Amino acid sequence: MAYIIVKDNKFYVVVDSEPGPELNGMGTVYNFSPNSEHIVYTAKKDTQQVIVYDQKILGSYEGIGGNILFSLDSERLAYAIKEGNSWQIFVDGKAGNKYEMSGGMSFSPDGKHFVYVAKKGDKFTVVLDGVEKGTFENISSFPIFSKDSQHVALYAKESNNSFMVVDGEAGTKYEKIICDI
């Protein structure tokens, strides 16, 4: 069980009757892991935004993205932070490359792989396990893993054409792709 208390204008998240660190305000993200053994939330401490994982502050940042993800097995954690004009994805506490924009984060069903979309200059790229996979004018969907976790797909656009991208490779170009199923 978790709840927030305020004492002397300071905020504390109480988990299993134990208060967490002293905070100046609360954020908008509160997640329990799929197995309910871990909690992560965003908050404000001094002038920075912080991510708190299992009642310990992971770091202080200028900005935090709107989603913090656990893998389905609850063993891995990913989030996006903003510093200056750059966004950076952290997976398992390790920082990825800095990009102008990033999003569409997803763990594979088996939890072994992680993917997201990033903007680099005037192009977009798919980043799979920390490696850029292809560059495209526009990415039109979030990446989706196959059921067996071996492949990742999305659709992209260039000029007036739409095409599927599987494992970073562009497929046949079509006039339009209506939706993924």
Side-chain angles (χ1 to χ4, degrees):
M1 174 169 46
Y3 53 92
I4 301 167
I5 62 171
V6 180
K7 182 178 176 186
D8 299 325
N9 289 324
K10 298 295 181 185
F11 293 76
Y12 303 85
V13 175
V14 179
V15 178
D16 296 330
S17 302
E18 294 294 323
E22 179 181 287
L23 305 164
N24 299 92
M26 298 308 303
T28 58
V29 177
Y30 307 89
N31 287 337
F32 278 98
S33 62
N35 67 6
S36 299
E37 292 183 15
H38 305 283
I39 186 170
V40 65
Y41 54 91
T42 59
K44 185 175 181 183
K45 179 128 176 105
D46 301 321
T47 62
Q48 295 281 298
Q49 293 183 37
V50 296
I51 295 176
V52 182
Y53 174 74
D54 288 343
Q55 302 295 62
K56 293 179 180 75
I57 294 175
L58 292 181
S60 298
Y61 309 102
E62 180 182 315
I64 299 171
N67 200 5
I68 299 175
L69 295 178
F70 282 101
S71 58
L72 290 176
D73 63 5
S74 303
E75 296 296 318
R76 303 182 71 195
L77 184 71
Y79 54 90
I81 62 101
K82 184 177 190 225
E83 295 291 340
N85 293 325
S86 297
W87 284 91
Q88 199 168 21
I89 302 286
F90 280 70
V91 181
D92 303 328
K94 296 178 184 141
N97 291 332
K98 292 181 179 181
Y99 294 100
E100 292 172 41
M101 185 176 77
S102 60
M105 303 184 304
S106 180
F107 281 106
S108 62
D110 66 5
K112 294 180 181 176
H113 304 285
F114 181 76
V115 67
Y116 61 96
V117 174
K119 185 174 183 195
K120 189 175 180 180
D122 62 349
K123 300 280 187 176
F124 291 85
T125 187
V126 178
V127 182
L128 176 63
D129 296 329
V131 178
E132 293 180 9
K133 301 281 189 178
T135 304
F136 310 98
E137 279 181 21
N138 191 359
I139 292 179
S140 304
S141 70
F142 293 132
I144 299 170
F145 278 99
S146 61
K147 193 173 181 179
D148 66 1
S149 301
Q150 298 304 305
H151 304 283
V152 64
L154 53 84
Y155 65 94
K157 291 182 181 179
E158 286 189 2
S159 303
N160 293 324
N161 295 304
S162 296
F163 50 94
M164 293 302 298
V165 177
V166 179
D167 299 332
E169 298 293 322
T172 303
K173 293 183 178 180
Y174 299 98
E175 199 174 305
K176 194 179 276 190
I177 294 178
I178 303 299
C179 67
D180 38 64
I181 299 173

